[in-house]
Each structure stands twice: as structure tokens, then as C-alpha cells.
Amino acid sequence: MSVFVTVPGTVVAPGLRVNQRSWRAWLSWAPLVVGWAAAPALAQSAAPAAPAPTRTNECATPGPGWLWCDDFEQDRLKQYFEYDGADGAFARAAGVGVDGSYGMRVRFTQGQESAGALHLAVGKVPSEYFRPVDAGTAIYRELYWRLYVRDQPGWVGGAGYKLSRAMSFATPKWAQAMIAHVWGGDERDSVYLQLDPVRGTDGPGTLRTAGYNDFGHFTWLGRKRGTTPLFDASHVGRWYCVEAHAALNDAGLANGVFELWVNGNLEAKETGLNFLGTFSGYGINAVFFENYWNKGAPATQERYFDNIVVSTQRIGCSE
């Protein structure tokens, strides 16, 4: 139904005019007519809408390229190929995640080195032990991974060394063809995150490592520090969205890439990397989210993880 509102003297049909009195009379009825005509639309708009995805439930609406999402609103811990709870130090808990949601609580006691980890596998792996969360057939030449991290107010000691890393497992004994570390800065830069890429092959691409963290056969490709001091006294107590991206080099070229974003801002980028020479048996097939303090935590304190995503495309930060 169309509703026309006219002014005095306006022609509404051939040969028909509305004088001022009739116009005023019609106008007195107009609210009822308009209300009747709009009633179906108003009733429809009043119907409850589906809840929009938020930081607390983003796994309900995965983004393009997402291989894994864990907002901890559901208990997905058994889907990681390894979950180290460190005797309760690293546990899923209500109220510790973003906006008071579920998250992972990390509790270091003074002097504690290892406070737990989540080990996730994706794509083609060298052993059934790794239990990838996807079909387990893809060779991923690049991956993005993201987590939210928050240190309690009053946190001391800097980044606490280990936070996350992506890698290429090449044998059942955990030999690594490459590693893309995202971890705490060196002593003078301990309040920052840094990128620290590693090659586990020789330059041409022959695997040299024999097991996990085979430092004697690592080639360190050069670290790059971020710009936000997430872990100094003026920054702790807030949530930070930390995303990394590693792209393997093409065979025979040094064109690998490693990037770090904090709260959506590019903070560090390395290019021209020879991550693994011509090695091509496996791609990036594991991502670790971890809590390891090389020299032991300087105090008893907590930090928190939430909203983990692993993807083949840029992830970004949830609203």
C-alpha cells in the first residue's frame, strides 16, 4: 500500500484537488493510516536477530581459511595432539578469557620453568601421533596463527621467554625442518615480542636435525624485535591480539617471509628467508602455544590465553 502526503493545492489525480480543509482532515487520519501500513514491517523488525559473532564466541562463525579455532567456550583440549596442563598450572577456566569468557589460565609459581602448553597439528605429518585437526593431507607452505594474551596487573619479569612457534616436523622423532618462533625478547629487550626464524636443513635443503630442538644443527636466520613493550609495567593487565605469519621459501630461492602483528598493527617483518632450501616433504604442520620460562619465573603470577586461530589467510582481531 502506498501512502501519499500532499500539501494544499497539490493535484493527486486528474481533475481532483484537495483544499486546505480536506488536507487538514486527511492529515489528522494520516498517523493511523501510516501505522496500519507499517505494522507488518514493524512486527518483522521486532523479531529477535541471531547473535552477532563476538570475541567470546567467534568459533561459531569461522573466517575464510580457518583450519582451527578455539575460543574455549567449549572444551576442545583433547583435539590438540598434546595438552600439557602442568599439574593444573595451565587450565581452562571460566571468567579469565576476553570479556569475562572462558579462557586458559596460566599460573607460574616462583622459580617454575614449564607451566604448560597446547600442541596443535595440521596438514601432512610424519606420524599418526601428531593427530592433525584437519584432513591431514595438505602441505601448507604458509600459515597464519593468532592468540589473545593478557598478563595480570603487576606482572614482572618481561615476556617470560616462550609464547608460540610454528614448525615443520619432518620425522616421527620430531626432527624440525624449520621453526618460526614468536617469543620474548633477549635480556635487553625482554618486554617485547620478537621473531626468531630457524632453518633445520642445510642451505640446499637436506634435513640436518635429528630430533626436537636439535640446536647443534639449527641455522638461526636473524631475529626481529616488535615495537610494543607488551610486558612492561605500563602495558600489563590488558588483552593483546598477537598474530604471526610464516611463508616458506620457494625451492632454490631465499624468499620466505615471517611477520608479526600486535592489535592489528604490523610490528616486525622479515623477508628474504631461506627457511628450508628445496625440502618439500612436509610443510608447516604444527603450531605450539606455550609457557616456558628459561630461568624460572621471578614471582608467582598469572597470565591468560584466549581466541586461538590457525588459518591459511590473514586472521585479524575480533571485534
Side-chain angles (χ1 to χ4, degrees):
M1 175 181 180
S2 298
V3 177
F4 298 93
V5 177
T6 60
V7 296
T10 300
V11 177
V12 296
L16 176 64
R17 289 184 180 271
V18 180
N19 61 29
Q20 192 169 10
R21 177 179 295 178
S22 63
W23 169 73
R24 287 175 178 168
W26 186 94
L27 193 59
S28 69
W29 286 91
L32 296 177
V33 176
V34 172
W36 173 81
L42 291 173
Q44 185 176 5
S45 65
T54 66
R55 295 193 304 176
T56 62
N57 71 342
E58 67 175 351
C59 295
T61 54
W66 287 17
L67 303 174
W68 174 251
C69 179
D70 197 351
D71 52 24
F72 301 102
E73 297 310 296
Q74 300 176 27
D75 187 349
R76 302 177 175 90
L77 295 177
K78 292 182 180 179
Q79 294 178 254
Y80 296 87
F81 78 87
E82 285 186 343
Y83 160 48
D84 176 10
D87 295 324
F90 188 36
R92 177 175 173 264
V96 303
V98 293
D99 302 325
S101 64
Y102 273 88
M104 293 296 291
R105 183 194 63 236
V106 185
R107 182 173 292 156
F108 282 98
T109 58
Q110 186 172 6
Q112 185 172 358
E113 295 179 351
S114 178
L118 295 169
H119 295 168
L120 186 80
V122 294
K124 182 183 177 184
V125 290
S127 167
E128 292 181 356
Y129 176 80
F130 294 105
R131 293 190 296 110
V133 293
D134 61 355
T137 57
I139 294 179
Y140 296 110
R141 301 292 298 180
E142 64 178 317
L143 278 184
Y144 296 79
W145 64 103
R146 185 205 74 191
L147 79 157
Y148 278 68
V149 61
R150 173 180 175 265
D151 295 328
Q152 70 168 70
W155 174 272
V156 295
Y161 293 89
K162 307 300 188 292
L163 180 66
S164 179
R165 69 185 81 188
M167 66 209 79
S168 177
F169 283 129
T171 73
K173 294 184 177 181
W174 291 40
Q176 296 154 292
M178 56 74 61
I179 314 168
H181 297 102
V182 180
W183 53 16
D186 296 339
E187 288 296 329
R188 64 186 180 278
D189 297 325
S190 64
V191 296
Y192 299 89
L193 289 175
Q194 69 178 10
L195 304 178
D196 211 353
V198 166
R199 184 173 65 240
T201 70
D202 61 15
T206 301
L207 185 68
R208 293 303 186 193
T209 57
Y212 187 70
N213 276 353
D214 185 358
F215 287 97
H217 293 99
F218 280 173
T219 298
W220 297 87
L221 302 178
R223 72 183 188 97
K224 188 71 172 290
R225 198 200 75 181
T227 58
T228 299
L230 284 71
F231 309 101
D232 72 6
S234 65
H235 285 74
V236 297
R238 311 174 196 172
W239 281 106
Y240 291 96
C241 169
V242 177
E243 181 174 356
H245 167 231
L248 303 179
N249 60 283
D250 295 317
L253 299 176
N255 61 351
V257 176
F258 195 12
E259 300 173 285
L260 172 70
W261 293 267
V262 175
N263 290 346
N265 300 311
L266 183 64
E267 296 225 338
K269 182 173 183 175
E270 297 188 78
T271 59
L273 299 175
N274 181 10
F275 261 124
L276 38 58
T278 60
F279 181 88
S280 61
Y282 299 92
I284 304 173
N285 53 19
V287 184
F288 287 8
F289 305 92
E290 52 199 337
N291 305 283
Y292 192 89
W293 211 305
N294 291 17
K295 298 180 180 180
T300 296
Q301 53 192 358
E302 293 184 357
R303 74 177 180 189
Y304 314 96
F305 289 173
D306 205 354
N307 290 37
I308 288 173
V309 175
V310 177
S311 176
T312 59
Q313 299 184 35
R314 181 73 200 279
I315 303 162
C317 302
S318 52
E319 297 298 327

